[in-house]
């Protein structure tokens, strides 16, 4: 099925092809994630053809969707004056349909299908893996926060819905290791029992990315005991230290203390990490970039000295955001892989804290990007120009298929807004256990089962079942 004539300009830089994006539970797929039909391992990333120097790239380049759900794609055209693209599904009607704006509807049958965006003789591709998610039973009444932390675990950190099957949830903790649930958090298994397991059990695992292309690959930041960046290729059983003592990052970064890890939505091998402190030889601090899944790294300087809570959000192959959580540092943008920086919000506003990143930055159902900040939720039509759509301080943030969810780290302030009306926010009760000076720095949403997860440090892990349309009762 073809949708002709739609166009989205590429913004401030080329978007890299090849790779993948987490789309399940995070917001780009209406209906959340989806299991790969027949199991699967590696999903093909985006591709296409470049003719006469014209490049077309689709964001995200890999998506997991359940049958009949909707996906929002964006296309960037580089090297041409005409930014218009024609959308199509290569598999015909059996592979779903797509309109002129890049809104794709998955077929009712499972399988892997290809979406194309064409400009002249050049085209880009994206893969859609359609599969039915595993079932989750015993979900509580809608609108009720339920404590679901693993038994004996009181301090939880990063939480992420799996891109292949949203019934699977990954959980970092402080000094209890790494956990996996196969039933939306009802039961848990301590999985890091292999290489570096004891090391990870000793630290705080506060930032992670689950690879949406290579199933079972997970990047995990260890802090306060398990310093560095760890990578697993077997579903969290064994983790290898990425920044070993002979790497440049380990040599210059204070205590090899990684602050956060962020993955590009168009290339699962492109990641950037920031340092939690100073770096030898840098007047500010440093960050490290890889384009080969962590085999090699290039270091560059951050725009300002490190501040508590600061981190990164990748936009494309050359561009990403840097934000701190100390008032007035603002949000900064690079379009040349960290060589130069500029502020994207006036008067130091934004402070788009990225320390607790758990997913790639992907467009919501209105084709815009959203991130949380100390000054409120920020919105961008292209990833390069930003404005505030709320004024409540936000650290924990998630994007569903129809709804935005936001919560503060230092107060039980929980809000939601329809993506169709992002200026209007509704206040709802946070988990009742939270004192007046505590909140939740992590949120993630599973749109397939309508479950919002909140990880609240010493106040543990919670889930809330929303209405089927994603709204909070």
């Amino acid at each position: 099925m073809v949708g002709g004539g739609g166009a989205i300009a590429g913004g401030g830089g080329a978007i890299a092809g090849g790779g993948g994006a987490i789309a399940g539970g995070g917001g780009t797929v209406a209906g959340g994630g989806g299991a790969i039909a027949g199991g699967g391992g590696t999903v093909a990333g985006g591709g296409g053809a470049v003719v006469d120097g014209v490049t077309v790239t689709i964001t995200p380049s890999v998506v997991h969707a359940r049958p009949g759900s909707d996906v929002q794609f964006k296309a960037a055209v580089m090297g041409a004056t005409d930014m218009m693209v024609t959308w199509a599904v290569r598999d015909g009607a059996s592979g779903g349909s797509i309109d002129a704006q890049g809104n794709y509807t998955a077929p009712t049958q499972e399988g892997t299908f290809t979406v194309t965006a064409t400009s002249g003789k050049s085209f880009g591709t994206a893969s859609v893996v359609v599969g039915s998610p595993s079932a989750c039973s015993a979900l509580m009444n809608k609108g009720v926060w339920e404590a679901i932390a693993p038994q004996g675990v009181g301090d939880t950190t990063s939480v992420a819905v799996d891109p292949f099957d949203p019934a699977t949830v990954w959980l970092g903790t402080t000094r209890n290791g790494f956990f996996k649930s196969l039933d939306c958090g009802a039961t848990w298994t301590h999985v890091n029992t292999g290489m570096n397991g004891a090391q990870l059990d000793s630290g705080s695992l506060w930032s992670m990315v689950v690879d949406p292309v290579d199933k079972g690959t997970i990047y995990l930041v260890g802090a306060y005991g398990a310093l560095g960046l760890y990578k697993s290729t077997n579903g969290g059983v064994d983790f290898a230290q990425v920044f070993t003592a002979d790497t440049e990052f380990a040599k210059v970064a204070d205590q090899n203390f990684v602050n956060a890890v962020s993955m590009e939505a168009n290339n699962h091998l492109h990641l950037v990490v920031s340092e939690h402190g100073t770096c030898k030889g840098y007047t500010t601090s440093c960050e490290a970039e890889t384009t080969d899944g962590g085999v090699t790294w290039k270091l560059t300087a951050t725009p300002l000295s490190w501040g508590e809570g600061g981190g990164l959000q990748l936009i494309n192959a050359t561009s990403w955001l840097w934000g701190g959580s100390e008032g007035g540092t603002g949000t900064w943008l690079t379009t040349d892989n960290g060589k130069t920086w500029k502020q994207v919000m006036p008067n130091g506003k934004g402070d788009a804290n990225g320390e607790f990143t758990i997913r790639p930055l992907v467009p919501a159902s209105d084709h815009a990007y959203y991130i949380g900040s100390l000054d409120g939720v920020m919105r961008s039509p292209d990833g390069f120009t930003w404005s505030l759509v709320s004024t409540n301080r936000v650290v924990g943030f998630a994007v569903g298929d129809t709804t935005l969810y936001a919560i503060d780290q230092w107060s039980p302030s929980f809000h939601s807004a329809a993506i169709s009306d992002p200026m209007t926010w509704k206040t709802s009760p946070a988990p009742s256990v939270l004192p007046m000076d505590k909140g939740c720095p992590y949120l993630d949403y599973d749109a397939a089962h309508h479950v919002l997860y909140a990880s609240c440090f010493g106040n543990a892990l919670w889930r809330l079942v929303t209405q089927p349309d994603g709204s909070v009762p």
Side-chain angles (χ1 to χ4, degrees), residues 201-246:
D201 285 346
S202 71
S204 183
L205 312 178
W206 68 27
S207 178
M208 80 163 96
V209 176
V210 183
D211 194 315
V213 177
D214 292 332
K215 189 173 185 180
T217 295
I218 303 166
Y219 297 88
L220 194 61
V221 168
Y224 298 116
L227 296 174
L229 177 68
Y230 294 83
K231 179 179 180 180
S232 174
T233 58
N234 61 357
V237 176
D238 298 293
F239 279 91
Q241 169 66 267
V242 175
F243 295 129
T244 53
D246 59 333

Side-chain angles (χ1 to χ4, degrees), residues 41-441:
T42 299
V43 181
V50 178
V51 180
D52 297 328
V54 177
T55 301
V56 182
T57 306
I58 301 176
T59 304
S61 61
V62 173
V63 151
H64 301 264
R66 78 174 189 265
S69 66
D70 298 321
V71 180
Q72 289 71 44
F73 288 107
K74 293 172 77 82
V77 179
M78 304 299 296
T81 57
D82 185 357
M83 297 293 124
M84 301 296 287
V85 298
T86 299
W87 293 95
V89 179
R90 181 176 291 174
D91 312 272
S94 64
S97 62
I98 193 164
D99 67 15
Q101 287 70 49
N103 299 308
Y104 169 85
T105 299
T108 56
Q109 68 185 43
E110 297 185 351
T112 300
F113 308 101
T114 301
V115 168
T116 64
T118 302
S119 173
K121 296 180 181 180
S122 299
F123 65 91
T125 67
S127 296
V128 183
V129 182
V130 178
S132 299
S134 300
C136 289
S137 59
L139 295 175
M140 288 189 65
N141 295 332
K142 297 179 181 67
V144 178
W145 286 103
E146 177 187 6
I148 59 167
Q151 186 175 3
V153 175
D155 194 334
T156 63
T157 53
S158 54
V159 60
V161 175
D162 188 80
F164 291 87
D165 185 353
T168 298
V169 185
W170 302 93
L171 178 67
T173 70
T174 296
R175 297 184 176 87
N176 280 283
F178 193 54
F179 287 79
K180 176 182 181 180
S181 173
L182 297 175
D183 50 15
C184 295
T187 61
W188 295 90
T189 301
H190 176 256
V191 292
N192 59 300
T193 57
M195 181 171 60
N196 285 317
Q199 183 74 359
L200 291 172
D201 285 346
S202 71
S204 183
L205 312 178
W206 68 27
S207 178
M208 80 163 96
V209 176
V210 183
D211 194 315
V213 177
D214 292 332
K215 189 173 185 180
T217 295
I218 303 166
Y219 297 88
L220 194 61
V221 168
Y224 298 116
L227 296 174
L229 177 68
Y230 294 83
K231 179 179 180 180
S232 174
T233 58
N234 61 357
V237 176
D238 298 293
F239 279 91
Q241 169 66 267
V242 175
F243 295 129
T244 53
D246 59 333
T247 60
E248 183 182 2
F249 185 86
K251 292 177 181 177
V252 304
D254 184 23
Q255 302 181 72
N256 199 21
F257 199 157
V258 176
N259 195 54
V261 58
S262 184
M263 177 184 288
E264 184 196 336
N266 302 307
N267 184 357
H268 70 122
L269 301 178
H270 183 207
L271 302 98
V272 180
V273 302
S274 55
E275 157 64 7
H276 192 276
T278 60
C279 295
K280 297 175 184 177
Y282 293 81
T283 56
T284 54
S285 185
C286 67
E287 59 192 8
E289 177 188 16
T290 180
T291 57
D292 53 19
V295 178
T296 60
W297 296 82
K298 179 182 178 181
L299 272 63
T300 54
T302 56
L304 298 176
S305 298
W306 170 80
E308 188 68 54
L312 304 158
Q313 299 275 3
L314 272 67
I315 301 169
N316 60 35
T318 61
S319 307
W320 56 84
L321 300 169
W322 182 93
S325 67
E326 296 182 350
T329 56
T331 298
W332 295 73
L333 169 70
T334 179
T335 57
D336 53 12
N337 301 88
K339 296 182 181 67
T340 60
W341 296 88
K342 66 176 182 180
Q343 279 192 305
V344 297
M345 294 287 287
N347 304 317
K349 291 292 185 179
D351 291 324
N353 48 303
E355 183 170 50
F356 305 130
T357 51
I358 54 176
R359 70 185 75 85
L361 180 63
V362 292
S365 58
D366 62 349
H367 297 277
Y369 296 92
Y370 293 88
I371 57 177
S373 82
L374 295 190
D375 294 299
V377 174
M378 297 168 57
R379 181 183 187 274
S380 172
D382 54 14
F384 301 92
T385 57
W386 293 84
S387 60
L388 289 169
V389 294
S390 79
T391 58
N392 296 300
R393 185 173 58 189
V394 175
V395 177
F397 185 67
V399 182
D401 49 358
T402 63
T403 307
L404 307 171
Y405 309 94
I407 193 167
D408 186 21
Q409 181 180 345
W410 300 283
S411 69
S413 177
F414 173 52
H415 307 274
S416 60
I419 293 174
S420 60
D421 184 16
M423 301 293 291
T424 302
W425 289 79
K426 172 186 175 181
T427 301
S428 301
S432 59
V433 70
L434 295 175
M436 293 306 296
D437 61 344
K438 300 294 182 183
C440 305

